[in-house]
Amino acid sequence: MTDKPILDDTSRAPVSQRGYVIEKSGMDDAIGGKVTINIDGKDIKIPLGTTILEAARSLGIRIPTLCYHEDLCVAGVCRICVVEVEGQRTLQAACGYPVTAPITVKTHTRRVRQARRHILDLMLSKHYGECYACFRNNNCELQTLAKEYGVDFFRFGHPEKPLYAVDRSSPSVIRDMNKCILCRRCVRTCIDLQEVGVLEGHGRGADVEIQTFMNKPLGEVICINCGQCINRCPTGALRANDPTDEVWAAIDNPDKHVVIQTAPSPRAAIGENFGLEPGTALTFELNTALRRCGFDRVFDTNFSADLTIIEEGTELLLRLYKALVEKDASIALPQFTSCSPGWVKFLEHFYPEYVPNLSSAKSPQQMFGALIKTYYAELNKIDPKDIVTVALMPCSAKKFECNRPEMCDSGYKDVDYGLTTRELAQMISETGIFLPDMPRSDFDDPFGTATGSGVIFGATGGVMEAALRSVYELVSGERIENIFEHADIIPVRGFQGVKYVELTLDKIGPVPDLLKPLVPNWDWLKGATVKLGVAHGTANAKRVMDDIKAGGKFSECHFIEFMACPGGCLGGGGQPIPTSPSIREARAKAIYAEDSVYEIRKSHENPAVLKVYNEFLREGPCGHKSHKLLHTSYIERGKYIS
Amino acid sequence: MSPSHTGELTFSTVKPRVGLQAALDKGRAGIVAEVSGSGLKGRGGAGFPTGVKWNLAAATVADEKFVVCNADEGEPGTFKDRVILNRFADLVFEGMIIAGYAIGAQKGILYLRGEYSYLRKDLEKTLERMRTEGMLGERVLGRDDVSFDIEIFIGSGAYVCGEETALIESLEGQRGEPRNRPPFPVNTGYKGRPTVVNNVETLAWIPSIMARGADWFSSLGTDKSKGLKLFSVSGDVERPGVYEFPWGLTIADLMREVGGENAKAVQVGGASGYIVPARDFERHIAFEDVPTGGAVIVFGPHRDMLQVVSNFMEFFVGESCGQCTPCREGNVKLLEGLRLLEEGRCSTRQMRELCALGETMQQASKCGLGQSSPNAFLSIVKHYGDEIMGRTDVIV
């Protein structure tokens, strides 16, 4: 299983940067399927087409890399991974050399060491390294290599002062080209991994720069703010727009009531920032740490994730009812999820004609913000203007989302600041707290209780699984466990780029109280087959959208979950650096493990959610008040920018 | 054409159609065998055996294949391909048809250097004439199993697009940047299909090899460099121009022919080639000794070698595609070193470091551009160290 998009003929990645993939015969054990090579005196038998780098790594031999990234196609441009291949006149880039014959490789000869040192020195001659003032200090691949290769002076010089103005135009991603070493990982991330294509090399020779279209500020181009480029930049050239100063100021202000909501993905990953292995969730340790940092209340975004399921699920049932029973041809189907702001902007730019298909339900972050400044404020008799809502998210696009002008339905800015996992880890370090050592504590009321359904929002397929658990039970009156053991809906899990699932509703039950005002009965759904899709990473989203446009099987779907980032939110652009398929896999495991221990694992059974419908959103899901506070609208942006 | 010759090149003595007809009679395997047997090596400079290239492309199974004629003649000091295209384009096109038949391609593309776009009109006319004469299009020379046509693509002026994988990127509409090799174009080239990329001169020789046979061709030249070669001679000589000589002649012989006997040095192979000082003029021009794609730039006794090499380095700084670190940054550092030399401020230690950097660039650059751009620098430092370091006031 892989979450890389398949590079087919529709891919826009330049061939020069795709690397070489020899089709594996699938018969590695057959004669000729494998080849024995020798690296630094050690023999290893590898399948044909394995690169020298992969072979060396499996032998435990370290070959340094910079432009290489496990998630990206091979560029072979930084040349730091060069090695000697016996019989070859020149040194070969280990990352881009697929082995097709027995060869002898030496990875650290004098020639190799000299070349690597020169390449590093050349990079440093253009890299404005202000290491102590850089957010990547001690987590920078260039810095690490400089140490590893004993760089003790700048033999080809060093920039005395920055040459480029830092581009702070985007609410999500800041670009500081003074630190760029032109490895083009961001270019490949944008065009190949995500197929957005905002960044490209411009100019020739020493004048090459990574630029946007016409060198416009990032905030003015079709960047979807997914921040995947940040996660893959080896240096500090790309970073998220960091509001920690403002958050500290709010905490320090005694007149402000500062509340924070934490999403499941950061909790499953923040341990990495404190040196833990990927896949250690620190949800409850984090609660304690946040209180010690000075946050007045700590809430669980899972609460509003459950709320999202109810609103979005109800919206889906209403759309189906209108389309199937009332034969309303204006109803747009399939309904698309809207909780990933990167995906939403991607759709607004590239498929604006499908804006009506987006669920009008806000994302959990924004729903929570709107409720905190209304329901919570009323309940606790706090003037909403004194409330500052902070959201801990795995996401850089959430910063853009909370700044969308539509997101002020409470009468104030619903969510004031979006913090990434990295930024919060920084704040915690600043208070002298070592997060893993914190005692565990619970979330605050009135939103305290969460369900497992909210937790799994963090992984691709999670929203779909949560929605299925609830919709199935609300419609059939049966327990989902009758058809999926432990309520684990395995078919929608996993990292395949695109998933397609069908579910037949054999039984129908009575309409539950919550939905009685909306539909008279479920008779029209009896025996119906619900068709569902899941896609993560905008490259995969593009495949699905193009299939819908062409009238393929996804056009017959009823509901499709889209996530902008590979792996879903757990692979978000605000997560700890580095990222790789195995790191994302570990985070997913942590998330599903957390889900399995919850007593309540279905959104519609969340007592806090039901309480909100009883006390505040009295007209029920998709009622007037929830429409005002919990739903939103979108913009047909198009991809042409002025 | 050079005054010392009749204006007729050896390959042009073969009549139109004769080579093509002979090739079609030989069959596919026969053509590849003949080209392999002739020992013809690529005339663009790299000297890869043409027969091997065709054989690899012919052996690759694909639904579509391509023949590309590399007419992106951008090496400073080279202008032989322009002369060939101007006067013997039909032979080049015949060579492409033969290559296409041999490897199983039905489409050829002439990648014409942007600066040569004025040739396009005449080239199109030639193609049109060949179509009406039945040499291009469906049923070439009446053969049901042979169809081939050629289109012209104009480059945009980047030197690096002479590198075959960058050329293919450019053809596909991308930035002209070299690809990782492997895969080689004979397996995965234009549009991901097997593609043979040959130099203009290489293809121009094909009809005569077909007509006269491999033995005739391989009887000319040296052991490892077969046949005759065109040279673009420029610089401080009495008779600059395009000359044809067998491989293996000495530089001194060549200087006598072109009137450059008192030359101080000769740059063989253009900007990316090596400088040969007068004391080495008995060396032979051949792949096994002093290789060249055809450029011979002659420097008279009054030339300042520091200026010569600065000029070359300026060229490479501007023409590096900027993709890989050694070439993008390395050329700049070499040029900076030369500037210091001009001011007499480059220490011998710094010079040693730059020479080591030059070696790194030769070893570690991604494509032939960066691998050969330090050649001139290194050979001038080697042979004219005293002259260029002579200006140094401070030696550490």
Side-chain angles (χ1 to χ4, degrees):
Chain A
M1 282 199 290
T2 168
D3 52 358
K4 269 191 192 179
I6 303 142
L7 288 174
D8 53 22
D9 285 347
T10 63
S11 172
R12 292 158 64 201
V15 179
S16 64
Q17 309 201 341
R18 278 192 214 174
Y20 187 30
V21 181
I22 291 181
E23 276 178 37
K24 302 257 174 23
S25 61
M27 300 188 298
D28 292 348
D29 295 327
I31 298 167
K34 282 195 174 182
V35 61
T36 301
I37 66 167
N38 184 291
I39 306 179
D40 292 344
K42 290 181 195 163
D43 279 338
I44 181 170
K45 201 171 183 187
I46 48 171
L48 276 182
T50 309
T51 62
I52 294 176
L53 181 68
E54 290 164 341
R57 285 188 173 176
S58 65
L59 274 174
I61 294 171
R62 175 168 157 80
I63 295 175
T65 53
L66 269 173
C67 72
Y68 173 83
H69 193 284
E70 265 184 273
D71 287 327
L72 305 174
C73 53
V74 169
V77 297
C78 78
R79 315 304 288 177
I80 199 79
C81 71
V82 286
V83 293
E84 248 185 76
V85 176
E86 213 172 80
Q88 298 270 5
R89 185 175 54 86
T90 56
L91 299 173
Q92 303 295 320
C95 69
Y97 192 105
V99 179
T100 53
I103 50 170
T104 303
V105 179
K106 293 201 168 65
T107 68
H108 51 77
T109 60
R110 189 198 69 81
R111 269 208 302 168
V112 169
R113 290 196 318 272
Q114 170 173 306
R116 286 186 188 156
R117 179 68 200 274
H118 276 144
I119 289 164
L120 272 175
D121 280 323
L122 289 173
M123 284 176 177
L124 293 170
S125 76
K126 289 282 275 290
H127 174 79
Y128 180 64
E130 34 166 19
C131 294
Y132 31 79
C134 179
F135 93 107
R136 294 294 295 273
N137 194 8
N138 279 331
N139 184 20
C140 167
E141 294 177 43
L142 184 64
Q143 193 187 41
T144 306
L145 283 182
K147 167 123 179 52
E148 219 170 289
Y149 282 82
V151 172
D152 50 359
F153 73 107
F154 300 117
R155 72 177 79 180
F156 300 125
H158 194 57
E160 295 292 323
K161 50 181 184 233
L163 281 173
Y164 301 93
V166 177
D167 178 2
R168 298 173 192 276
S169 61
S170 159
S172 296
V173 183
I174 293 181
R175 296 172 71 232
D176 180 357
M177 289 301 99
N178 298 298
K179 294 175 184 168
C180 176
I181 54 167
L182 296 167
C183 69
R184 301 202 197 180
R185 279 194 199 168
C186 57
V187 174
R188 279 173 288 146
T189 301
C190 203
I191 200 166
D192 167 40
L193 188 73
Q194 293 290 68
E195 294 194 21
V196 174
V198 161
L199 301 172
E200 183 53 288
H202 179 267
R204 305 190 65 78
D207 297 330
V208 166
E209 286 170 15
I210 307 303
Q211 286 191 1
T212 57
F213 177 66
M214 302 291 280
N215 210 13
K216 283 174 182 288
L218 196 62
E220 292 174 20
V221 296
I222 56 171
C223 171
I224 63 165
N225 305 311
C226 69
Q228 291 300 309
C229 52
I230 302 175
N231 289 7
R232 286 168 185 80
C233 179
T235 71
L238 293 163
R239 63 178 194 267
N241 205 336
D242 182 353
T244 28
D245 287 346
E246 289 88 336
V247 174
W248 276 128
I251 289 174
D252 294 339
N253 184 342
D255 297 333
K256 294 288 178 192
H257 183 74
V258 187
V259 302
I260 185 165
Q261 50 164 313
T262 70
S265 289
R267 302 180 326 217
I270 196 165
E272 295 163 34
N273 283 110
F274 292 88
L276 302 190
E277 284 297 308
T280 325
L282 295 176
T283 309
F284 301 101
E285 289 84 349
L286 190 59
N287 290 344
T288 313
L290 289 168
R291 290 192 186 97
R292 292 201 188 172
C293 282
F295 289 97
D296 295 301
R297 293 286 183 279
V298 184
F299 296 138
D300 188 346
T301 306
N302 291 351
F303 160 79
S304 52
D306 286 336
L307 197 59
T308 302
I309 287 300
I310 302 301
E311 290 293 331
E312 198 164 337
T314 306
E315 184 189 352
L316 174 64
L317 288 167
L318 283 176
R319 281 196 199 213
L320 291 175
Y321 183 73
K322 283 180 188 151
L324 301 174
V325 180
E326 296 177 354
K327 308 285 178 200
D328 182 347
S330 69
I331 297 300
L333 282 171
Q335 177 177 310
F336 301 154
T337 60
S338 61
C339 35
S340 165
W343 148 249
V344 168
K345 192 156 184 263
F346 180 82
L347 182 110
E348 288 176 330
H349 280 307
F350 292 94
Y351 301 93
E353 67 274 30
Y354 286 91
V355 157
N357 294 59
L358 275 175
S359 163
S360 64
K362 286 181 185 171
S363 69
Q365 164 179 290
Q366 293 306 130
M367 283 197 182
F368 218 145
L371 280 186
I372 287 169
K373 292 201 177 176
T374 53
Y375 173 64
Y376 173 80
E378 278 174 31
L379 214 58
N380 291 280
K381 304 196 169 44
I382 305 171
D383 189 341
K385 80 170 165 41
D386 292 330
I387 300 180
V388 175
T389 50
V390 180
L392 168 63
M393 291 288 148
C395 185
S396 53
K398 289 283 173 194
K399 295 166 185 289
F400 169 82
E401 187 187 33
C402 74
N403 282 313
R404 285 178 77 120
E406 311 91 270
M407 298 294 182
C408 296
D409 292 326
S410 62
Y412 301 89
K413 200 176 163 198
D414 293 341
V415 172
D416 293 286
Y417 305 109
L419 280 180
T420 65
T421 314
R422 299 184 295 263
E423 288 152 4
L424 187 75
Q426 177 64 49
M427 286 180 71
I428 291 175
S429 305
E430 221 174 314
T431 56
I433 292 171
F434 184 65
L435 182 60
D437 288 349
M438 282 291 103
R440 297 158 64 92
S441 63
D442 235 321
F443 290 100
D444 286 310
D445 281 334
F447 307 113
T449 331
T451 74
S453 274
V455 176
I456 56 174
F457 260 58
T460 167
V463 178
M464 184 57 71
E465 182 165 352
L468 276 179
R469 287 178 187 172
S470 286
V471 169
Y472 180 81
E473 297 205 347
L474 289 173
V475 170
S476 70
E478 300 264 325
R479 286 169 58 73
I480 189 86
E481 283 85 347
N482 295 347
I483 50 170
F484 291 104
E485 215 179 323
H486 303 301
D488 291 344
I489 308 179
I490 303 296
V492 298
R493 294 188 182 181
F495 281 171
Q496 303 99 296
V498 172
K499 283 163 280 192
Y500 175 83
V501 178
E502 290 184 2
L503 182 72
T504 304
L505 297 167
D506 293 325
K507 293 179 185 163
I508 51 160
V511 176
D513 294 345
L514 196 63
L515 302 177
K516 266 188 183 148
L518 301 171
V519 280
N521 57 56
W522 297 129
D523 293 350
W524 50 282
L525 275 175
K526 189 169 169 52
T529 298
V530 185
K531 297 175 180 173
L532 309 158
V534 176
H536 61 117
T538 44
N540 293 315
K542 190 170 165 242
R543 300 289 181 282
V544 172
M545 289 308 299
D546 290 342
D547 180 80
I548 291 174
K549 265 188 145 171
K553 74 173 174 184
F554 285 98
S555 67
E556 291 170 9
C557 276
H558 301 104
F559 188 40
I560 306 180
E561 176 203 302
F562 288 102
M563 291 291 158
C565 295
C569 305
L570 56 87
Q575 291 282 63
I577 300 169
T579 184
S580 73
S582 58
I583 290 175
R584 293 194 292 275
E585 199 121 355
R587 291 176 189 161
K589 266 192 197 144
I591 280 175
Y592 284 114
E594 200 172 332
D595 164 45
S596 68
V597 299
Y598 273 92
E599 265 174 52
I600 307 173
R601 297 178 59 207
K602 296 156 198 167
S603 303
H604 61 286
E605 292 175 355
N606 182 334
V609 169
L610 297 173
K611 198 170 157 220
V612 168
Y613 283 116
N614 279 331
E615 293 179 357
F616 188 65
L617 305 167
R618 294 226 181 92
E619 295 148 285
C622 294
H624 180 72
K625 200 161 186 180
S626 54
H627 252 292
K628 180 176 181 308
L629 291 176
L630 307 184
H631 289 254
T632 185
S633 58
Y634 307 98
I635 303 164
E636 291 180 23
R637 294 178 199 268
K639 58 185 166 185
Y640 300 101
I641 45 178
S642 51
Chain B
M1 230 45 42
S2 77
S4 59
H5 285 265
T6 58
E8 204 170 55
L9 295 171
T10 307
F11 63 65
S12 69
T13 54
V14 57
K15 296 270 176 299
R17 276 169 181 261
V18 175
L20 179 58
Q21 188 63 57
L24 296 188
D25 293 344
K26 285 183 213 295
R28 293 187 167 159
I31 296 172
V32 176
E34 200 82 46
V35 175
S36 300
S38 74
L40 176 65
K41 287 184 179 175
R43 295 301 173 81
F48 190 81
T50 308
V52 174
K53 197 181 258 189
W54 289 19
N55 200 16
L56 288 168
T60 309
V61 183
D63 54 351
E64 203 179 10
K65 298 182 186 180
F66 297 97
V67 173
V68 174
C69 173
N70 183 348
D72 191 53
E73 189 178 38
E75 188 68 51
T78 317
F79 40 87
K80 60 173 178 79
D81 292 346
R82 187 189 67 209
V83 173
I84 297 172
L85 286 173
N86 219 347
R87 301 185 47 176
F88 312 110
D90 44 352
L91 286 172
V92 179
F93 293 143
E94 256 185 70
M96 289 174 74
I97 302 165
I98 295 166
Y101 176 58
I103 68 161
Q106 296 182 343
K107 180 147 184 224
I109 301 165
L110 177 77
Y111 186 95
L112 190 63
R113 185 183 181 197
E115 292 85 338
Y116 289 177
S117 50
Y118 68 94
L119 293 174
R120 181 175 193 157
K121 218 171 112 194
D122 285 347
L123 291 170
E124 295 282 12
K125 255 191 239 163
T126 308
L127 287 174
E128 204 40 57
R129 195 193 74 232
M130 289 174 77
R131 283 186 198 110
T132 54
E133 288 172 358
M135 294 169 75
L136 279 175
E138 303 287 323
R139 304 185 72 245
V140 171
L141 296 190
R143 287 273 296 262
D144 287 337
D145 60 332
V146 191
S147 97
F148 195 80
D149 212 335
I150 296 172
E151 70 173 70
I152 297 174
F153 184 97
I154 306 279
S156 299
Y159 168 74
V160 74
C161 289
E163 199 277 346
E164 59 180 0
T165 59
L167 183 151
I168 290 168
E169 285 281 295
S170 164
L171 274 180
E172 291 180 357
Q174 312 277 11
R175 264 172 81 82
E177 290 184 341
R179 299 176 176 178
N180 287 306
R181 291 144 52 101
F184 296 95
V186 288
N187 298 119
T188 307
Y190 179 53
K191 292 183 179 170
R193 306 295 195 279
T195 304
V196 155
V197 184
N198 280 142
N199 172 260
V200 172
E201 185 189 345
T202 313
L203 290 164
W205 279 104
I206 298 296
S208 56
I209 291 173
M210 290 299 127
R212 295 186 176 186
D215 292 342
W216 160 76
F217 190 80
S218 62
S219 68
L220 304 162
T222 71
D223 268 1
K224 288 183 179 165
S225 311
K226 300 294 186 193
L228 303 163
K229 173 80 186 100
L230 296 196
F231 296 94
S232 317
V233 181
S234 62
D236 301 323
V237 291
E238 284 166 35
R239 297 177 292 278
V242 174
Y243 290 78
E244 180 189 64
F245 290 111
W247 282 112
L249 89 158
T250 63
I251 297 169
D253 288 341
L254 181 63
M255 287 305 104
R256 271 189 290 281
E257 291 287 341
V258 301
E261 289 93 335
N262 64 348
K264 171 182 178 178
V266 171
Q267 172 88 2
V268 184
S272 65
Y274 292 88
I275 198 97
V276 181
R279 65 173 177 277
D280 289 342
F281 276 6
E282 285 308 313
R283 288 181 70 177
H284 301 270
I285 301 180
F287 290 114
E288 57 269 40
D289 193 358
V290 185
T292 175
V296 175
I297 307 170
V298 183
F299 300 109
H302 59 291
R303 293 288 166 188
D304 176 350
M305 298 318 280
L306 189 53
Q307 272 180 11
V308 166
V309 71
S310 297
N311 183 31
F312 287 144
M313 288 319 300
E314 279 166 23
F315 173 77
F316 287 119
V317 166
E319 290 298 341
S320 164
C321 79
Q323 188 182 190
C324 77
T325 320
C327 177
R328 180 185 65 235
E329 311 294 346
N331 284 311
V332 175
K333 295 299 159 195
L334 295 189
L335 183 60
E336 280 173 14
L338 294 170
R339 295 280 182 257
L340 288 179
L341 277 173
E342 283 167 11
E343 296 164 17
R345 293 197 297 119
C346 187
S347 67
T348 44
R349 189 179 134 187
Q350 232 167 331
M351 203 49 172
R352 266 201 304 276
E353 194 63 62
L354 290 177
C355 288
L357 174 64
E359 282 165 25
T360 290
M361 291 167 66
Q362 288 177 326
Q363 298 285 326
S365 294
K366 183 168 178 175
C367 82
L369 196 163
Q371 287 165 10
S372 59
S373 65
N375 291 350
F377 179 94
L378 292 174
S379 54
I380 284 188
V381 172
K382 182 176 164 194
H383 297 300
Y384 297 93
D386 291 345
E387 181 182 326
I388 60 175
M389 292 299 283
R391 293 165 231 222
T392 308
D393 295 332
V394 190
I395 296 177
V396 179

